[in-house]
Amino acid sequence: MQLKSHQECTDKIATVVFTVLGYLNIVFVAVICLYLVISGIPAIGQIGFVDFIFGTQWASTASEPKFGIMPFILTSVYGTFGAILLGLPIGFFTSVYLAKFAPLKIKQFVESTVDLLAGIPSVVFGFIGMLVLVPGIQYFFNVPDGSSLLAAILVLSIMILPSIIKVSIGAIEAVPEEYELGSLALGANKVETVYKVMVPAARRGIGVAVVLGVGRAIGEAMAVMMVAGNVANMPDLFESVRFLTTAVASEMSYSAGLQRQALFSIALVLFVFIMIINALLNLVLKERKGKK
Amino acid sequence: MKFKKTFLTAVCACAMGFSSMANAGSVITDGSTSMEKVMGMLIESFEGNGIDVTYNPTGSGSGITAVLEGRADIGLSSRALKAQEQEKLVGTDLAYDAIVVVVNKNNSLANITTEQVKDLYTGKITNWKDLGGADAPVVLIGREAGSGTRDGFESVTDTKNACKYRQELTSTGDVITTVGQNENAVGYASLSAVNDTVKVLTFNGVEASEATVLDKTYKLQRPFVFVTPKNKALSKDAQTFLDYSLSDEAKPFIVKAGVVPAKN
């Protein structure tokens, strides 16, 4: 009897602790959202929503300051899109190979290398990009300076590889074996089976991989700051550009007054962007699932 | 008229009385944002004497006004006082912020003039051959908006808000690394931060060194000035802080902040 009540008591305590910890997550998200909105809204109001979002000039410390963040928004969109464009095919084919074709030893080796890649801090990516990639671009494309959108895209595409590969492998491996066996029994060869049966069945998981990749690419600041040049130009492949993240990071340390508030507003815009991207992709994935 | 004057004096006395009451054991400094680093160093090393020093980074102009209006004990200005301001205020040089123009080691240029810097950074000259160098495009490296070094460079060379940067980097180290790597690059940095991976240009024929900064023959510099009222004595605490800041004891901390301490 005593023992039972003791167990019950432990159970209750455990339930309370885990529930509190679970809710704590929600509290974190809520506090961050609230803080961003509260500190981001005033500057947008002061500058004017249209001038802020669609303005093409950013000169935060000029005597007549201009706070237009269209260059940052476009740069972030182009940069992320470029990184996915390069990173997705590489990551996708790597994961198909590792999940279905590679011998066990190679698979284990490559997988641990990918884990290692995921563990490299972004400042190291930035540093190597600065020392190798930037001079490389300058040399190969014969431009005056290699710090550019292209350099940022290349760095980002490598940085998003681990998340794409890992999640895609998981998705492909989660497809029931019967699908594969059934397809093979119907006379399809292995390549056909993988690309026409397994991959479509794993579509949702691969979609998640893309979301994670987009999330990482659009939110990355440090590595990008070191290779992109950070001038508020409209995006161009070989032009020095500033992302939404780097716009916040580069000016935050010495900012004051409206400039500082505007930086919070940029963070808010970035936040909204990430929410929209997540929501959109979720919607698309759900619709597809519904059709099936 | 006489009544008005008496009234004003009374108000002033009242305000002064209040402010000195509020300042018991504390010193208010107000002014240049560029002096943030050096003030941080001074305040941090000064603490322990029981006197609380606060620093409001508002800008040189606001700092000078704050002293005039009695809202601050010591104003901080990153430019010399104008003749008109000197009628009522005293400026004491704390340190000199010297900025050097750096280029890649393979650049044949050795000297640069004020005009050339201006033409380079405003985009008038875009090729090194116009300055007698190789036929290669100029890559302008600068600092981010809000940086004290950028503010200093742009105000001394009169290129404020007109610089056509190719890269805006967030630290002196990044500027040096980038200039060290790119043969076409030109950048600027604090005198204290440069190392031998880049070539330091002489400015108007004068080499930057502590000596040329102090005798003011090196022109690419600006003073960091403590501004105090002329005909009103400082509070005891403010005087203590001022004396400390100008003492030999504080010099290592001023050097640490990347500027050249003034000789007093």
Side-chain angles (χ1 to χ4, degrees):
Chain A
M1 192 63 210
Q2 178 122 39
L3 190 74
K4 202 180 174 193
S5 76
H6 183 73
Q7 270 182 343
E8 267 171 11
C9 189
T10 323
D11 267 6
K12 260 188 192 148
I13 292 175
T15 315
V16 170
V17 168
F18 288 133
T19 314
V20 167
L21 289 179
Y23 278 114
L24 207 57
N25 272 314
I26 303 176
V27 171
F28 289 150
V29 174
V31 167
I32 292 173
C33 287
L34 210 69
Y35 184 77
L36 263 183
V37 170
I38 289 173
S39 48
I41 293 288
I44 296 183
Q46 211 170 325
I47 298 159
F49 182 77
V50 174
D51 285 347
F52 183 66
I53 301 289
F54 296 103
T56 56
Q57 274 186 20
W58 175 269
S60 55
T61 54
S63 46
E64 278 173 47
K66 291 193 181 74
F67 297 100
I69 63 163
M70 204 60 202
F72 307 156
I73 295 178
L74 286 181
T75 302
S76 270
V77 170
Y78 289 5
T80 308
F81 183 71
I84 293 290
L85 208 64
L86 287 179
L88 186 64
I90 300 174
F92 174 70
F93 289 120
T94 308
S95 55
V96 168
Y97 170 74
L98 289 179
K100 286 294 153 197
F101 296 100
L104 190 64
K105 265 195 180 156
I106 293 184
K107 186 185 169 186
Q108 278 169 346
F109 175 70
V110 175
E111 268 192 315
S112 58
T113 324
V114 169
D115 282 340
L116 207 64
L117 192 66
I120 295 177
S122 56
V123 65
V124 174
F125 278 104
F127 192 63
I128 294 173
M130 198 174 165
L131 293 182
V132 179
L133 203 56
V134 169
I137 288 175
Q138 188 188 343
Y139 177 77
F140 281 116
F141 294 96
N142 200 18
V143 285
D145 184 34
S147 293
S148 56
L149 182 59
L150 180 65
I153 287 176
L154 289 175
V155 169
L156 284 177
S157 63
I158 295 169
M159 290 183 76
I160 62 173
L161 273 183
S163 40
I164 290 183
I165 293 175
K166 297 231 65 150
V167 178
S168 300
I169 288 180
I172 294 168
E173 282 178 344
V175 176
E177 211 188 354
E178 291 81 10
Y179 285 29
E180 192 179 3
L181 296 177
S183 168
L184 290 173
L186 285 172
N189 65 24
K190 186 139 190 199
V191 174
E192 280 172 337
T193 304
V194 167
Y195 283 103
K196 297 210 167 138
V197 179
M198 310 288 288
V199 169
R203 201 167 42 192
R204 199 180 153 78
I206 293 167
V208 172
V210 175
V211 178
L212 283 176
V214 170
R216 172 125 206 224
I218 204 166
E220 177 54 42
M222 193 65 219
V224 167
M225 193 149 86
M226 295 171 84
V227 298
N230 307 323
V231 179
N233 291 322
M234 280 304 216
D236 187 316
L237 207 52
F238 293 108
E239 198 59 63
S240 170
V241 291
R242 200 187 290 184
F243 287 67
L244 282 169
T245 47
T246 48
V248 179
S250 64
E251 287 189 18
M252 191 55 100
S253 50
Y254 297 112
S255 63
L258 184 61
Q259 183 195 5
R260 191 178 196 92
Q261 288 180 318
L263 296 183
F264 278 114
S265 307
I266 296 177
L268 181 65
V269 170
L270 180 65
F271 184 68
V272 170
F273 254 81
I274 291 175
M275 302 274 266
I276 290 174
I277 288 167
N278 276 325
L280 263 182
L281 277 158
N282 274 337
L283 208 74
V284 171
L285 291 171
K286 253 184 206 152
E287 249 172 36
R288 274 190 181 160
K289 209 190 175 193
K291 264 184 199 163
K292 237 174 27 181
Chain B
M1 189 64 206
K2 200 178 176 190
F3 169 73
K4 210 173 172 186
K5 210 169 179 183
T6 332
F7 179 67
L8 261 177
T9 321
V11 168
C12 282
C14 257
M16 262 145 84
F18 274 123
S19 67
S20 65
M21 233 161 73
N23 292 357
S26 74
V27 179
I28 298 170
T29 67
D30 192 314
S32 171
T33 48
S34 309
M35 287 170 71
E36 184 173 349
K37 216 169 169 184
V38 71
M39 285 309 291
M41 284 286 177
L42 286 175
I43 292 171
E44 205 177 307
S45 59
F46 179 64
E47 266 169 2
N49 300 13
I51 299 168
D52 190 26
V53 184
T54 55
Y55 162 60
N56 302 327
T58 53
S60 299
S62 327
I64 292 168
T65 316
V67 175
L68 274 176
E69 293 174 355
R71 284 184 286 112
D73 297 300
I74 301 172
L76 309 169
S77 169
S78 50
R79 58 168 172 80
L81 288 181
K82 294 171 190 160
Q84 196 196 345
E85 291 163 344
Q86 280 175 345
E87 284 171 18
K88 286 180 178 169
L89 299 168
V90 182
T92 314
D93 287 0
L94 170 74
Y96 303 99
D97 181 21
I99 298 160
V100 290
V101 179
V102 292
V103 292
N104 189 271
K105 286 218 142 166
N106 295 333
N107 197 318
S108 59
L109 206 66
N111 177 53
I112 197 158
T113 64
T114 318
E115 269 312 300
Q116 287 172 334
V117 169
K118 207 169 161 181
D119 287 350
L120 268 182
Y121 271 88
T122 51
K124 225 184 205 170
I125 294 177
T126 55
N127 196 306
W128 284 112
K129 71 173 184 227
D130 293 341
L131 295 180
D135 183 8
V138 175
V139 174
L140 299 172
I141 312 290
R143 291 288 304 276
E144 82 280 12
S147 146
T149 313
R150 168 161 163 174
D151 183 48
F153 175 81
E154 290 187 357
S155 52
V156 174
T157 58
D158 193 20
T159 53
K160 213 143 203 189
N161 308 319
C163 289
K164 307 229 176 316
Y165 293 114
R166 167 71 214 202
Q167 285 199 46
E168 287 178 34
L169 302 172
T170 51
S171 79
T172 303
D174 283 353
V175 172
I176 305 273
T177 313
T178 308
V179 173
Q181 259 183 10
N182 190 332
E183 289 196 9
N184 309 327
V186 54
Y188 51 80
S190 278
L191 171 62
S192 59
V194 292
N195 55 29
D196 56 4
T197 57
V198 290
K199 183 163 157 189
V200 177
L201 296 181
T202 56
F203 188 71
N204 292 335
V206 182
E207 194 181 333
S209 71
E210 202 172 310
T212 55
V213 170
L214 284 176
D215 69 16
K216 306 207 170 156
T217 47
Y218 184 75
K219 294 292 179 203
L220 198 49
Q221 61 159 301
R222 55 178 182 165
F224 283 171
V225 184
F226 273 174
V227 182
T228 48
K230 201 168 202 172
N231 39 27
K232 190 188 120 197
L234 278 177
S235 76
K236 208 179 113 230
D237 294 337
Q239 190 64 50
T240 315
F241 179 68
L242 189 83
D243 290 343
Y244 164 75
S245 302
L246 302 173
S247 70
D248 285 338
E249 200 190 330
K251 289 214 159 79
F253 298 104
I254 296 176
V255 173
K256 229 177 174 179
V259 290
V260 181
K263 270 206 180 85
N264 291 297

